[in-house]
C-alpha cells in the first residue's frame, strides 16, 4: 500500500516545511509518497523542494489554482497507483500528529473503502474543534458545517465518526481507484473553491461513504480556508479567490445532485438569492426602525 499525498502550494514556505516534517514523522511514513504542486511560488519554495530527496515537485505557472493543481498531481500519480493505494488531499497550512495518516487509512478500511475526511482544530481556541464537515441542502442551495448541529457537550467530546454530504481538500483520503472509475477534478469548470466538494459528492452519488473521523485531526492557524472578510464586495461576489463567487456556485449546483436538481439549479439559485437578499434587507430595515 502507498498513500500518495497531494499538496498544492503557493508561497508560505514555512507552512510547507512544517507539513513535510509532519509527514516524515508519520507512523506509516515509509508508505507515503509526497507530491507537492508548486504553483508559481516566489519565496524560495522551489529551491527548498529541489533539496528534498523524498518530495516530488510539480511546477505550475501560478494559474492552476486548487483544482488545476490537484488535477496535475492526479495525472502524475494515477498511472502508478494499485488497487490498494490511496490518495490524500492536504493543505500546507496544517499540522497533525504521527498517527494521522494511519487513522485515515484504518477508518477507510473499517467503513468499506470510504472516503475519509478530517476534523479541524484551531490553535488557541476552546473548545478547539471548529469544523467537522459539510452538510448540504441541494434543493435550497444551502451549505453549513455539521458542527453547528452539535451540542456544546458534544463539541468538547465528539463521536468517533460522522457522516457528511461533502469533504474538503483540507485533509481527505480517497481510495485511489475511485479516480479511475469516476473521474478526476474539473478545473475548467471549478478551478478553486467547491472543486473538492464536487468530487466528493460525485463519489457519494456512486455509493461511496463520506466519513469524517474525529480522531483524524488537522490543526490550523486562526484564519484558514475560505475567509473572505478582507475582500471588497465585487471580489467577494465575483473573485476567483472567493468561496462566494456566484458563477462558481452556479456551476457547482449544476453539477451535483439528481438530474432534476442539476437542471433546475439556475432557477433555484436566482430565487433563493433574491429571497435571502430581501430577508437581509427587511431585517436591516426593522433594526433601523427600532433605533428611530
Amino acid at each position: 500500500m502507498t498513500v500518495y499525498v497531494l499538496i498544492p502550494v503557493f508561497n508560505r514556505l514555512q507552512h510547507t516545511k512544517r507539513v513535510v516534517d509532519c509527514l516524515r514523522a508519520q507512523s506509516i511514513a515509509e508508505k507515503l509518497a509526497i507530491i507537492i504542486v508548486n504553483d508559481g511560488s516566489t519565496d524560495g519554495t522551489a529551491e527548498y523542494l529541489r533539496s528534498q530527496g523524498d518530495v516530488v515537485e510539480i511546477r505550475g505557472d501560478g494559474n492552476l489554482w486548487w483544482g488545476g493543481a490537484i488535477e496535475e498531481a492526479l495525472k502524475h500519480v494515477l498511472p502508478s497507483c494499485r488497487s490498494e493505494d490511496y490518495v490524500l488531499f492536504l493543505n500546507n497550512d496544517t499540522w497533525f500528529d504521527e498517527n494521522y495518516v494511519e487513522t485515515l487509512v484504518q477508518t477507510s478500511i473499517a467503513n468499506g473503502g470510504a472516503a475519509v475526511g478530517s476534523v479541524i482544530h484551531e490553535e488557541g481556541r476552546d473548545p478547539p474543534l471548529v469544523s467537522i464537515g459539510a452538510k448540504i441542502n441541494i434543493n435550497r442551495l444551502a451549505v453549513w458545517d455539521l458542527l453547528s448541529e452539535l451540542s456544546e457537550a458534544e463539541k468538547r467530546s465528539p463521536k468517533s465518526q460522522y457522516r457528511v454530504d461533502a469533504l474538503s481538500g483540507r485533509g481527505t483520503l480517497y481510495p485511489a481507484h475511485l479516480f479511475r472509475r469516476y473521474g478526476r477534478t474539473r478545473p475548467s469548470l471549478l478551478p478553486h473553491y467547491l472543486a473538492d466538494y464536487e468530487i466528493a459528492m460525485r463519489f457519494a452519488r456512486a455509493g461511496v461513504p463520506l466519513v469524517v473521523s474525529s480522531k483524524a485531526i488537522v490543526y490550523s492557524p486562526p484564519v484558514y480556508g475560505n475567509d473572505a472578510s478582507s475582500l471588497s464586495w465585487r471580489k467577494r461576489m465575483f473573485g476567483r479567490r472567493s468561496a462566494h463567487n456566484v458563477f462558481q456556485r452556479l456551476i457547482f449546483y449544476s453539477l451535483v445532485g439528481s438530474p432534476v436538481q442539476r437542471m433546475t439549479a439556475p432557477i433555484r439559485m436566482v430565487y433563493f438569492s433574491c429571497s435571502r437578499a430581501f430577508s437581509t434587507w427587511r431585517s436591516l430595515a426593522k433594526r433601523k426602525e427600532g433605533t428611530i
Side-chain angles (χ1 to χ4, degrees), residues 9-10 36-41 46 57-65 68-69 72:
V9 305
F10 175 72
I36 294 182
V37 184
N38 174 19
D39 193 22
S41 297
E57 179 193 18
I58 297 174
R59 292 278 189 98
D61 62 2
N63 295 302
L64 289 176
W65 300 87
E72 292 304 309

Side-chain angles (χ1 to χ4, degrees), residues 157-222:
S157 183
K159 297 175 184 178
S160 61
Q161 294 180 16
Y162 292 93
R163 288 292 186 100
V164 294
D165 296 328
L167 295 167
S168 79
R170 199 174 188 82
T172 294
L173 183 85
Y174 291 103
H177 69 86
L178 295 179
F179 298 98
R180 286 185 175 142
R181 188 168 184 180
Y182 303 114
R184 305 188 299 261
T185 59
R186 293 168 169 170
S188 60
L189 296 174
L190 294 170
H192 200 55
Y193 287 114
L194 297 172
D196 48 359
Y197 282 12
E198 187 278 324
I199 197 166
M201 294 177 75
R202 195 190 323 155
F203 293 164
R205 289 197 302 275
V208 179
L210 304 185
V211 178
V212 174
S213 170
S214 64
K215 300 183 185 303
I217 302 168
V218 294
Y219 298 90
S220 288

Side-chain angles (χ1 to χ4, degrees), residues 9 11-13 16 38 41 43-50 57:
V9 305
N11 291 331
R12 305 194 299 180
L13 176 56
T16 300
N38 174 19
S41 297
D43 64 347
T45 293
E47 291 77 10
Y48 164 75
L49 293 176
R50 278 200 299 270
E57 179 193 18

